[in-house]
Amino acid sequence: MADEASKLKEKVGLELEAVVCDIEKGTLRRFAQALGDPNPLWQDEEYAVKTRYGGIIAPPTLALTLGFSRIQQMLTSDPSLTVLHGSTELEPYQPIRPGDVVTVSTRIARVRERPGKMGSTLFVTFEITCRNQRQEMVARCRQMAIIY
Amino acid sequence: MTKQVYFQDVAVGGELPSLMKQPTSRQLVMWAGASGDLNPIHYDKDYAIKRGLPGVIVHGQLAGCFLGQLITDWAGDGGNLKKLTLSYKGMNFPGEALTCRGVVTRKYVEDDRHFVVCNIWVENPRGEKTVTGTATVTLPAGD
């Protein structure tokens, strides 16, 4: 664990390889179905065209999942460690729509180590920005992982 | 969707309509696929037990996104989620009924926009808050 801690601490400030997400209607549908959210604004074009959005948009929380697998891969590559999710922050700036291409940039912002009963625990904070194909910021997220 | 809620109709201390959820192991698999969260503690019982967990647990972020739904259901098409913060306090297990709740803690006007802040949480059947957080939304002003 001490090894892991020092390895991760060296990575503070590191940018993970960017993830490019093609947002399709199916992306929205899969997300809404997995969430169990029947809101027609996410899936029903006929309904959504009459709203102020003029078409279907993604639930704002979709942004939290874009590029999430990149973080997961990085943290779960060592099977001897347990990884839990500590906290999440989301600031949506504009809706994500089908047809958008969202580039997700992830930076390791902070690593804290705290000694505990079962050895030390690591708190790793990631800062994530999501930009669309027009380079507009669509959302900013922060994810904290707990590793022991 | 349901009737639009307006800023003028919201009072500090007022409760949001609660949202009931009962994630099944099937839903966890769907969520793993849709969210890219493929941590085996959410679908592989042997692995979860080996990691010292009582069994498969619900993705924290799935329970967190239930709270996102609580907010978008309430704020309606005329509302906008501006900020969501979530802390994962305890584990949720598939098959358990979860209740998503919220209460208005603050309302204010800034730059002609009408903000409402809520405390939000997920409650398990034992009344424990397993996810807590805050949501800031803008709502249409009303007449």
Side-chain angles (χ1 to χ4, degrees), chain A residues 12-130:
Chain A
V12 171
L14 183 84
E15 290 264 354
L16 307 189
E17 194 191 334
V19 181
V20 178
C21 305
D22 287 312
I23 308 298
E24 298 162 356
K25 277 187 190 177
T27 316
L28 275 54
R29 191 177 57 242
R30 268 195 305 279
F31 182 85
Q33 282 176 350
L35 186 57
D37 182 345
N39 192 329
L41 188 56
W42 322 139
Q43 293 189 68
D44 183 345
E45 197 67 62
E46 235 174 88
Y47 170 88
V49 80
K50 286 178 255 161
T51 68
R52 68 191 165 113
Y53 296 107
I56 60 174
I57 60 168
T61 47
L62 175 74
L64 291 172
T65 65
L66 301 178
F68 194 79
S69 56
R70 184 75 86 219
I71 296 178
Q72 194 89 74
Q73 275 166 16
M74 190 201 130
L75 294 179
T76 53
S77 55
D78 182 344
S80 68
L81 298 176
T82 298
V83 179
L84 297 176
H85 204 158
S87 65
T88 293
E89 262 181 57
L90 167 67
E91 279 180 86
Y93 299 116
Q94 59 168 300
I96 297 174
R97 296 168 183 268
D100 279 356
V101 180
V102 177
T103 302
V104 183
S105 307
T106 303
R107 186 176 152 269
I108 303 177
R110 192 166 178 223
V111 178
R112 267 192 310 137
E113 189 177 2
R114 216 164 36 187
K117 277 179 249 159
M118 290 148 52
S120 69
T121 301
L122 286 184
F123 299 83
V124 185
T125 304
F126 297 86
E127 283 174 356
I128 300 125
T129 56
C130 302

Side-chain angles (χ1 to χ4, degrees), chain A residues 136-147:
Chain A
E136 297 158 347
M137 184 85 87
V138 292
R140 197 190 285 274
C141 317
R142 194 186 274 262
Q143 300 279 17
M144 196 263 284
I146 303 172
I147 304 171

Side-chain angles (χ1 to χ4, degrees), chain B residues 35-69:
Chain B
S35 72
D37 187 343
L38 297 173
N39 191 334
I41 59 173
H42 305 300
Y43 54 83
D44 184 336
K45 191 176 174 186
D46 293 344
Y47 180 91
I49 289 170
K50 228 186 287 172
R51 295 258 68 88
L53 300 169
V56 164
I57 61 170
V58 175
H59 300 79
Q61 198 153 261
L62 172 58
C65 289
F66 290 160
L67 292 174
Q69 182 185 347

Side-chain angles (χ1 to χ4, degrees), chain B residues 12-97:
Chain B
V12 171
E15 285 179 26
L16 277 56
S18 62
L19 174 69
M20 296 291 295
K21 290 285 188 178
Q22 193 158 10
T24 57
S25 51
R26 179 173 183 272
Q27 186 170 8
L28 300 197
V29 172
M30 287 171 74
W31 181 258
S35 72
D37 187 343
L38 297 173
N39 191 334
I41 59 173
H42 305 300
Y43 54 83
D44 184 336
K45 191 176 174 186
D46 293 344
Y47 180 91
I49 289 170
K50 228 186 287 172
R51 295 258 68 88
L53 300 169
V56 164
I57 61 170
V58 175
H59 300 79
Q61 198 153 261
L62 172 58
C65 289
F66 290 160
L67 292 174
Q69 182 185 347
L70 172 82
I71 293 299
T72 50
D73 279 357
W74 170 68
D77 298 345
N80 280 105
L81 177 67
K82 306 308 282 183
K83 188 168 185 178
L84 183 69
T85 67
L86 304 165
S87 293
Y88 308 106
K89 300 287 189 192
M91 294 173 196
N92 293 304
F93 302 98
E96 281 191 343

Side-chain angles (χ1 to χ4, degrees), chain B residues 82-139:
Chain B
K82 306 308 282 183
K83 188 168 185 178
L84 183 69
T85 67
L86 304 165
S87 293
Y88 308 106
K89 300 287 189 192
M91 294 173 196
N92 293 304
F93 302 98
E96 281 191 343
L98 302 177
T99 311
C100 305
R101 297 185 192 278
V103 62
V104 175
T105 55
R106 193 180 163 211
K107 53 185 284 191
Y108 60 98
V109 181
E110 199 177 277
D111 299 331
D112 272 341
R113 292 191 300 168
H114 297 76
F115 290 88
V116 177
V117 185
C118 304
N119 278 348
I120 49 178
W121 67 93
V122 173
E123 226 173 81
N124 71 14
R126 292 167 294 287
E128 297 155 343
K129 294 180 178 180
T130 55
V131 185
T132 61
T134 61
T136 305
V137 300
T138 53
L139 292 179

